[in-house]
Amino acid sequence: MNGNRNAARALARAALTVGLAAMAAWGASAFAQAKQAAPKAATKSAAFDASTCLGCHAPVRAFYVSGKHKTVGCNACHDGTASHLADASKRPATKTDLATCGGCHQNQYKSYAQMDWHRNARFEKKQMTGPAPNPAYDLLMTPHGFTKEHNLPRGHTFALLDQYVVDRAFGGRFAPRDTWRYLGLTGDFKVWDVAYDLYPENSDQKVFKPGTAAAANPVCLSCKTQDHILEWAYMGDPVPEAKWSRTSKVVEAAKAVNHSLNCIFCHDPHAAKPRIVRDALIDAVTRTDAPTLYSQDPRKTKVEVKDMGVRGFTRKIGMLERYDGRLQCGQCHVEYNCNPGFNPSTGEPITMADRRTNYFPFVDVSNILKAYDGIQFRDFRNQFTGAALWKAQHPDVETYYNSKHEKLGIDCAACHMPRVKDDKTGKFYTSHWQTNPKNYLKETCLRCHNQWDEKQARYVIESMASHYQGKVRHAEFWLAQFINKFAPAQRVGISDEALKAARAKHGEAHAHWEWWTAANGASFHNLDLAKESLAKSVKASQDGIKILDDAIKTKQTAVAPATAPASAPK
């Protein structure tokens, strides 16, 4: 008996030792990742003469000589410069990681990688406490890929990684190396240090696991990273000289990038001035075929578009006269189309070869369907009604436009990237922890609303959110009732004309609901617009129900005499 006990104790001690060793190894791995991301200071021009480079790179010269980075050597951000100078065919590598910029801008870098522990990873919007709970969401959105997994966003450092592992993007191909322990990861990191390909034997974009979808494409990646900026032609057009395009294999493109939301999205590395790089936004602020929020803005920030293409194809950036979150945050926090669809008038498929798969309408909710009608595009047909529908992304900037705060000239940064004090130096810097302003109320809300304390400010924000969610649920209920009315209407064989009218109402009701399930922070960004739009959704659903009810009644009335029993003989 004692022998058995001693053996059991020995086994338990061995298991504990192995377990602790495994935990220590994992902790050491996590520490190594954090240590690897530690930024180094940039190389100054004393160590490198930039004039030789600028002799060939004319588009860069004007930025470099006039900007704050003119004392920074080219080799600070480019590897292999010596080899390139000796042999022009040997291209240097451009550093697109955040840590390179963080070598000098350490407070901004550290705050950018700060963890928001209040925002759970993979929090599905379809949960009962989420913005778009089931069972209504699947009813309203099937068969769209977002029904596989639709999550609230978390910190910017996770934008690329979270897209790789979400169930709707790559069909279950990519997975974290440390399984679910990866959720404890903090700080800046390389995606491919954390994730890996379960099916490396092929690069086909397809579904590997039940319950997943393979909806990602190369345009999707442009919102998450700009690692590929030098090898991507304007609008993602497929041109021979550019390595990547809208039509590239998305698996190969995904495996070629590593860094999430690079500094170079908003900061020109040569001029150290504000800019935008998302080509579809540059297209939106320069086109004249239809009005946009930007074109109608009397206070719009001037955008100077520059062609940076020195590699044999067009590549544009937009330099801004001042920092402007409506444009810089609007590179990603907007409604945009980044996927194939179909022409609602003809039913013809629209593939990634078509520029309509990289499109920013840049309009508000009341004009969104008009914008997509203008380019003849819809995303999918609802499985239960057959209506041609649009799928929103995250129209945060368009929601904020023309709100009370926006009209007062309050920029996105005032609430999401406030000026904060460095405790060690006493100097102020712009926080790059782009999080909910509730996480630093003193630096945001209370700077203007000084009659409140933090408790009051939080109470107001959360009360607005509660009111907003009630209105979303109200619209959701009527839209679900409307969709459920189609099946009985089709069973009795209502007219095609009535079905067409009802489907048009479905598209309208859907747009005024879907916008608000996709938007982030809408209750605070523009509660008045949200209530107005959601009320329109309810009205459209109720009008659609009446169309179907009237059509059912008409059909039943017409059929009744033919099916009535014969009268008894006299």
Side-chain angles (χ1 to χ4, degrees):
M1 183 69 72
N2 289 335
N4 290 339
R5 287 199 188 100
N6 291 336
R9 290 192 187 106
L11 285 171
R13 284 195 297 271
L16 179 61
T17 301
V18 171
L20 290 172
M23 290 176 66
W26 178 70
S29 173
F31 175 77
Q33 288 176 351
K35 187 176 181 181
Q36 182 180 5
K40 297 179 181 179
T43 306
K44 300 298 182 181
S45 60
F48 189 92
D49 182 6
S51 60
T52 304
C53 300
L54 299 177
C56 294
H57 294 273
V60 171
R61 181 180 179 82
F63 294 148
Y64 185 81
V65 298
S66 66
K68 293 180 180 179
H69 282 174
K70 60 186 176 184
T71 61
V72 179
C74 303
N75 58 340
C77 302
H78 301 279
D79 286 330
T81 49
S83 298
H84 179 60
L85 289 172
D87 182 352
S89 65
K90 296 179 179 178
R91 287 181 175 173
T94 300
K95 301 176 186 178
T96 56
D97 63 297
L98 291 91
T100 293
C101 300
C104 293
H105 307 281
Q106 294 194 18
N107 280 326
Q108 290 84 349
Y109 174 74
K110 291 175 183 177
S111 60
Y112 174 88
Q114 186 173 341
M115 190 72 177
D116 186 350
W117 295 108
H118 297 91
R119 182 57 63 87
N120 287 351
R122 302 192 79 160
F123 183 100
E124 286 212 44
K125 291 185 177 184
K126 297 195 297 181
Q127 294 185 47
M128 287 305 295
T129 55
N134 265 340
Y137 190 78
D138 274 34
L139 175 70
L140 275 54
M141 293 298 299
T142 298
H144 198 278
F146 269 72
T147 59
K148 304 301 183 185
E149 188 173 2
H150 187 206
N151 295 335
L152 287 171
R154 56 180 182 143
H156 283 178
T157 51
F158 298 105
L160 194 60
L161 173 63
D162 285 357
Q163 186 189 33
Y164 285 3
V165 299
V166 74
D167 286 340
R168 72 169 183 271
F170 288 94
R173 169 190 286 274
F174 299 137
R177 297 179 187 275
D178 283 327
T179 65
W180 288 103
R181 292 176 299 185
Y182 87 97
L183 295 177
L185 182 69
T186 63
D188 182 27
F189 55 87
K190 292 181 178 179
V191 168
W192 293 112
D193 286 343
V194 180
Y196 74 110
D197 188 354
L198 293 169
Y199 306 94
E201 65 275 5
N202 70 74
S203 59
D204 296 333
Q205 171 71 327
K206 63 181 182 178
V207 172
F208 291 95
K209 297 180 179 180
T212 67
N217 63 70
V219 178
C220 292
L221 296 177
S222 296
C223 180
K224 315 299 186 210
T225 182
Q226 282 294 318
D227 278 2
H228 60 303
I229 188 171
L230 297 177
E231 298 175 308
W232 175 271
Y234 183 61
M235 298 300 289
D237 287 342
V239 296
E241 297 88 351
K243 182 176 181 179
W244 306 114
S245 76
R246 297 189 306 269
T247 60
S248 296
K249 282 194 169 187
V250 66
V251 173
E252 294 176 356
K255 292 170 78 169
V257 296
N258 241 320
H259 308 104
S260 177
L261 273 295
N262 322 67
C263 305
I264 57 175
F265 267 88
C266 297
H267 303 280
D268 186 82
H270 301 110
K273 294 176 181 178
R275 74 174 187 178
I276 56 176
V277 297
R278 286 298 305 279
D279 42 22
L281 178 59
I282 293 171
D283 178 66
V285 300
T286 55
R287 67 172 180 258
T288 58
D289 59 329
T292 64
L293 288 165
Y294 176 81
S295 68
Q296 296 176 312
D297 183 1
R299 298 178 290 107
K300 60 177 173 282
T301 296
K302 182 181 177 182
V303 180
E304 186 178 5
V305 179
K306 297 285 189 179
D307 186 352
M308 303 297 291
V310 294
R311 297 191 172 196
F313 55 88
T314 301
R315 186 172 59 82
K316 297 181 181 180
I317 63 172
M319 298 298 296
L320 309 184
E321 61 179 340
R322 62 177 180 270
Y323 283 98
D324 186 340
R326 294 170 304 174
L327 294 174
Q328 292 171 289
C329 302
Q331 296 182 89
C332 297
H333 287 271
V334 292
E335 155 55 22
Y336 60 91
N337 184 51
C338 60
N339 52 261
F342 65 96
N343 184 319
S345 297
T346 65
E348 178 185 4
I350 296 172
T351 69
M352 293 304 296
D354 194 306
R355 268 199 179 187
R356 284 175 287 183
T357 59
N358 190 12
Y359 172 69
F360 282 25
F362 220 55
V363 298
D364 63 18
V365 64
S366 61
N367 290 296
I368 191 64
L369 290 186
K370 186 186 299 182
Y372 280 108
D373 285 342
I375 66 167
Q376 286 291 285
F377 184 93
R378 288 294 187 273
D379 288 270
F380 71 108
R381 290 190 184 276
N382 182 274
Q383 179 173 314
F384 306 105
T385 72
L389 301 180
W390 154 76
K391 173 69 189 79
Q393 301 307 316
H394 19 64
D396 306 328
V397 165
E398 302 97 308
T399 297
Y400 185 60
Y401 250 105
N402 295 314
S403 66
K404 290 181 180 179
H405 281 114
E406 193 272 340
K407 287 179 179 178
L408 290 172
I410 298 173
D411 190 64
C412 307
C415 295
H416 296 285
M417 299 174 62
R419 298 275 293 170
V420 295
K421 189 176 183 179
D422 184 336
D423 293 334
K424 292 182 179 180
T425 65
K427 295 181 179 179
F428 283 85
Y429 67 95
T430 300
S431 172
H432 279 58
W433 186 33
Q434 296 121 332
T435 185
N436 192 308
K438 288 192 296 183
N439 288 324
Y440 28 39
L441 287 166
K442 288 181 181 179
E443 293 84 4
T444 56
C445 301
L446 300 187
R447 291 188 64 187
C448 295
H449 300 280
N450 51 26
Q451 75 277 20
W452 292 339
D453 58 24
E454 290 188 55
K455 184 183 294 184
Q456 289 170 304
R458 183 173 285 104
Y459 183 80
V460 170
I461 293 170
E462 292 176 354
S463 296
M464 292 171 70
S466 296
H467 183 67
Y468 166 81
Q469 286 298 342
K471 299 304 180 184
V472 177
R473 293 291 82 76
H474 184 53
E476 199 170 82
F477 168 82
W478 282 105
L479 188 49
Q481 293 295 104
F482 182 19
I483 291 173
N484 285 331
K485 183 68 70 172
F486 273 81
Q490 289 175 300
R491 278 198 298 269
V492 302
I494 67 170
S495 68
D496 290 341
E497 182 181 357
L499 268 178
K500 183 178 179 181
R503 285 169 177 156
K505 282 294 179 184
H506 183 188
E508 181 184 346
H510 171 89
H512 283 286
W513 163 81
E514 162 63 4
W515 181 283
W516 305 106
T517 69
N520 301 299
S523 61
F524 191 81
H525 287 152
N526 202 332
L527 183 55
D528 291 341
L529 178 64
K531 291 180 65 176
E532 176 187 339
S533 173
L534 289 164
K536 289 179 180 178
S537 177
V538 172
K539 178 66 164 59
S541 290
Q542 293 173 340
D543 289 347
I545 290 171
K546 187 177 186 306
I547 290 171
L548 294 177
D549 278 340
D550 289 348
I552 291 171
K553 185 177 180 180
T554 298
K555 186 67 175 181
Q556 290 173 337
T557 302
V559 172
T563 58
S567 58
K570 295 181 180 179

